[in-house]
């Protein structure tokens, strides 16, 4: 099973500079920032569970721009209604990635309940246009490429391991700086 | 060294829970309560209910209370903000003795903090009319018993803030 930080690196490698990438609060955002900081990244600093909602807004207003959500299983569970909302709004340009290590790794790896439920099945039942489950680098590359060639919304559930990155830094941009940089990127 | 003495041990919290007959801990983990979470999980007298969002904790606790159990909610102050209407409509309006243990993220003794989570915590509780106690170290832990006593005597929610300046739960 791939480490989450490696999964993030693999995903970011597949995306062009124009793509909007929105990442959830905690370690996922810190790993995105460490892997590839770019103007098209929107880092949530706090407000767990709401990244997918912000991304939905971005995707609806920018239908020509690919929009990618990077969130964890804890975050997805916290706002499961947003899965239904995304499916009902059918943003064709949205790729929703759930990095599922079955834990709240940012706060000490306490278990979530995602080991007992299938988030990909829930997304499928909600009406996502395609749903994929992967657990390695090759699978990530294959499914990201596939999602880019057909209308979404797509969901990719990446089953990954608990593997903290030692000494990983924090995002050293303020929330307002993140907002302004991202807004300028969207134009 | 004052900072070394001023530790709130997770085991102290468990003892307070046991002393007050707590049956369930309805919780969403956060970094401040990590070690406490591990101890709760290992404590046979406590059932841990792992919710997916903080606003669910008061509702689950309400169901447990009307069923005759004695739960406690364990969340972070950020989660308390998220729980606004649950606290209003369930804990306050139903008059339920819900004791909420709330991690006080960003709290400092000197009051200067860049963290809006800390700056809004006490004004938020004042707005909801919630009584609260601050627990920073083992010596303060009896305030948890006081909170339970008052909550059940008056059928009202009470908040116990866990001051994190010394990072007792993170040791």
């Amino acid at each position: 099973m791939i480490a989450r930080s490696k999964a993030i690196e693999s995903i970011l490698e597949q995306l062009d500079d124009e793509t909007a990438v929105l990442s959830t609060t905690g370690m996922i955002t810190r790993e995105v920032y460490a892997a590839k900081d770019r103007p098209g990244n929107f880092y949530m600093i706090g407000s767990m569970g709401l990244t997918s909602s912000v991304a939905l807004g971005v995707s609806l207003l920018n239908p020509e721009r690919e929009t990618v959500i990077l969130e964890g299983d804890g975050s997805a569970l916290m706002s499961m209604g947003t899965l239904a909302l995304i499916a009902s709004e059918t943003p064709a340009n949205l790729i929703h990635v759930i990095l599922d290590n079955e834990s709240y790794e940012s706060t000490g790896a306490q278990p979530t309940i995602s080991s007992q439920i299938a988030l990909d099945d829930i997304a499928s039942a909600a009406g996502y246009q395609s749903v994929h489950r992967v657990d390695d680098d090759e699978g990530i590359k294959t499914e990201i490429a596939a999602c880019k060639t057909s209308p979404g919304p797509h969901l990719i559930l990446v089953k990954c391991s608990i593997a903290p990155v030692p000494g990983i830094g924090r995002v050293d941009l303020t929330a307002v700086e993140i907002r302004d940089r991202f807004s300028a990127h969207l134009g | 060294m004052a900072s070394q003495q001023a530790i709130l041990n997770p085991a102290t919290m468990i003892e307070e829970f046991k002393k007050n007959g707590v049956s369930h801990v309805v919780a969403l983990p956060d970094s401040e309560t990590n070690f406490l979470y591990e101890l709760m999980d290992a404590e046979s007298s406590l059932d841990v209910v792992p919710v997916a969002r903080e606003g669910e904790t008061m509702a689950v606790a309400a169901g447990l209370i009307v069923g005759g159990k004695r739960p406690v909610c364990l969340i972070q102050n950020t989660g308390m903000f998220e729980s606004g209407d649950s606290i209003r409509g369930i804990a306050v309006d139903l008059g339920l003795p819900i004791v909420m243990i709330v991690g006080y993220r960003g709290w400092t003794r000197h009051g200067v903090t860049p963290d809006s989570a800390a700056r809004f915590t006490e004004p938020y509780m004042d707005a909801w009319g919630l009584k609260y106690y601050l627990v920073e170290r083992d010596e303060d832990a009896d305030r948890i018993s006081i909170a339970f006593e008052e909550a059940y005597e008056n059928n009202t929610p009470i908040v116990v803030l866990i001051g994190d300046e010394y990072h007792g739960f993170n040791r």
Side-chain angles (χ1 to χ4, degrees), chain A residues 1-13 23-36 48 69-76 97-110 112 114 134-137 140 156-166 168-169:
Chain A
M1 198 178 289
I2 192 168
R4 188 183 56 205
S5 59
K6 297 298 178 192
I8 287 171
E9 288 173 12
S10 178
I11 292 163
L12 293 174
E13 282 172 12
S23 55
T24 191
T25 189
M27 287 300 174
I28 288 179
T29 261
R30 290 166 69 174
E31 289 170 7
V32 170
Y33 185 67
K36 191 176 184 181
M48 181 177 170
I69 302 165
L70 296 176
E71 69 172 345
D73 45 301
S75 174
V97 179
I98 299 177
L99 299 148
D100 182 4
N101 60 6
E102 301 179 1
S103 76
Y104 297 103
E105 187 176 331
S106 297
T107 63
Q110 302 92 341
T112 69
S114 77
V134 300
D135 63 5
D136 60 14
D137 182 61
I140 290 169
I156 303 175
L157 184 70
V158 181
K159 297 297 283 190
C160 50
S161 61
I162 299 171
V165 180
I168 189 163

Side-chain angles (χ1 to χ4, degrees), chain A residues 74 77-78 104 107-108 110-111 113, chain B residues 28-31 34 37 51-52 54:
Chain A
L77 288 164
M78 186 171 272
Y104 297 103
T107 63
Q110 302 92 341
I113 56 172
Chain B
L28 192 84
D30 62 76
S31 50
N34 181 26
Y37 195 90
V51 298
E54 292 90 344

Side-chain angles (χ1 to χ4, degrees), chain A:
Chain A
M1 198 178 289
I2 192 168
R4 188 183 56 205
S5 59
K6 297 298 178 192
I8 287 171
E9 288 173 12
S10 178
I11 292 163
L12 293 174
E13 282 172 12
Q14 307 303 305
L15 306 177
D16 63 43
D17 289 343
E18 290 305 304
T19 301
V21 177
L22 296 95
S23 55
T24 191
T25 189
M27 287 300 174
I28 288 179
T29 261
R30 290 166 69 174
E31 289 170 7
V32 170
Y33 185 67
K36 191 176 184 181
D37 181 40
R38 50 200 276 288
N41 289 358
F42 183 87
Y43 307 113
M44 287 292 281
I45 309 293
S47 300
M48 181 177 170
L50 295 176
T51 306
S52 54
S53 303
V54 178
L56 175 60
V58 169
S59 66
L60 291 174
L61 286 177
N62 300 270
E64 304 305 318
R65 185 187 301 271
E66 200 163 70
T67 301
V68 174
I69 302 165
L70 296 176
E71 69 172 345
D73 45 301
S75 174
L77 288 164
M78 186 171 272
S79 55
M80 204 178 284
T82 308
L83 288 173
L85 181 61
I86 288 171
S88 70
E89 292 291 329
T90 60
N93 55 336
L94 188 64
I95 301 174
H96 188 167
V97 179
I98 299 177
L99 299 148
D100 182 4
N101 60 6
E102 301 179 1
S103 76
Y104 297 103
E105 187 176 331
S106 297
T107 63
Q110 302 92 341
T112 69
I113 56 172
S114 77
S115 60
Q116 300 160 58
I117 62 162
L119 288 164
D120 47 349
D121 287 348
I122 291 169
S124 180
Y128 275 61
Q129 295 300 302
S130 78
V131 173
H132 314 271
R133 177 183 285 232
V134 300
D135 63 5
D136 60 14
D137 182 61
E138 186 182 348
I140 290 169
K141 287 183 165 65
T142 300
E143 300 307 345
I144 289 278
C147 291
K148 290 166 80 169
T149 60
S150 64
H154 307 285
L155 184 122
I156 303 175
L157 184 70
V158 181
K159 297 297 283 190
C160 50
S161 61
I162 299 171
V165 180
I168 189 163
R170 293 183 179 275
V171 175
D172 60 5
L173 302 166
T174 67
V176 171
E177 287 170 341
I178 293 166
R179 178 199 69 186
D180 289 347
R181 190 179 74 162
F182 185 70
S183 182
H185 175 76
L186 294 179

Side-chain angles (χ1 to χ4, degrees), chain B residues 23-24 26 57-73 90-91 94-100 148 151-152 155-158:
Chain B
S23 58
H24 294 75
V26 190
T57 60
M58 298 84 202
V60 173
L64 290 165
I65 288 170
V66 298
K69 298 297 183 183
R70 205 171 166 97
V72 67
C73 297
I90 294 172
L94 290 179
L96 292 174
I98 297 178
V99 175
M100 292 175 264
F148 270 99
Y152 279 84
N155 279 322
T156 187
I158 305 256

Side-chain angles (χ1 to χ4, degrees), chain B residues 26-30 33 51 53-55 57-58 73-81 83 87 100-104 160 162:
Chain B
V26 190
L28 192 84
D30 62 76
T33 58
V51 298
R53 72 176 183 86
E54 292 90 344
T57 60
M58 298 84 202
C73 297
L74 179 68
I75 57 176
Q76 197 178 51
N77 49 358
T78 52
M80 183 172 66
F81 303 147
S83 305
I87 293 173
M100 292 175 264
I101 309 291
V102 176
Y104 201 160
V160 176
I162 304 299

Side-chain angles (χ1 to χ4, degrees), chain B residues 100-113:
Chain B
M100 292 175 264
I101 309 291
V102 176
Y104 201 160
R105 197 191 88 178
W107 181 84
T108 60
R109 283 189 141 189
H110 46 70
V112 179
T113 176

